[in-house]
Amino acid sequence: MRITKRANIAIRLLMFCGANQDRMVTKSEIAERCNTSESHLAQVINKLAQLGFLNTQRGRHGGVMLGRAMNRITVGEVFRAIEVNTPVAECFADVDNTCPLVDACRLRLALADAVEAFYAHLDEITLEALVCNNEALFTLFSAPPCLNQA
């Protein structure tokens, strides 16, 4: 199973917001700290806000922050929401499916079961478990020190 770039960005973004719960964070600082483009990030922010994972605020003092408590956000829920309509294999696609084995293949059922087991496991992992007491994460997400201008 491969996680899409969009799902990866979504989790990084939520982790960044979780590590900075005390304030609104900007798209540019998220992009810098999470090593992603602002254009990809904007699409993910929009989707996560529509789904209630994030609250957004426009304007000079705007930004994003978590839309619900970290213990109420699971990795499985986020991945399902972001990767909706992303087929695990060609035979799962509604369009562009050229596999001649569709009517006889038992692998499709096995893959479907495996995908469900994958998500079921990720449903047990909360954003809180990824962020809380993770000092290495807080170090990575902290702002760089100001440089003295002489």
Side-chain angles (χ1 to χ4, degrees), residues 7-138:
N8 191 343
I9 291 170
I11 291 298
R12 288 186 210 175
L13 162 61
L14 290 170
M15 290 172 69
F16 188 86
C17 289
N20 292 279
Q21 289 186 82
D22 57 332
R23 66 186 180 88
M24 288 284 225
V25 294
T26 65
K27 184 173 55 175
S28 61
E29 70 179 308
I30 297 166
E32 179 184 338
R33 292 287 175 215
C34 294
N35 194 28
T36 189
S37 75
E38 285 192 41
S39 61
H40 280 117
L41 190 58
Q43 295 170 14
V44 175
I45 288 171
N46 185 43
K47 182 69 171 175
L48 290 175
Q50 288 173 357
L51 296 167
F53 291 107
L54 292 176
N55 289 327
T56 60
Q57 182 177 321
R58 292 180 183 253
R60 185 173 182 210
H61 299 288
V64 300
M65 62 188 326
L66 292 179
R68 55 176 117 149
M70 286 195 293
N71 66 352
R72 294 188 50 233
I73 299 173
T74 70
V75 176
E77 181 183 18
V78 173
F79 281 5
R80 276 189 192 92
I82 295 296
E83 296 190 349
V84 67
N85 299 325
T86 303
V88 68
E90 178 187 2
C91 60
F92 287 83
D94 292 333
V95 295
D96 299 330
N97 182 0
T98 61
C99 180
L101 306 177
V102 170
D103 294 330
C105 186
R106 293 180 181 166
L107 180 60
R108 182 179 171 148
L109 181 58
L111 288 173
D113 290 346
V115 168
E116 275 312 305
F118 174 78
Y119 284 126
H121 179 71
L122 293 178
D123 285 337
E124 298 174 15
I125 301 170
T126 65
L127 183 60
E128 182 178 58
L130 299 178
V131 174
C132 292
N133 301 316
N134 186 342
E135 293 307 317
L137 181 75
F138 285 97

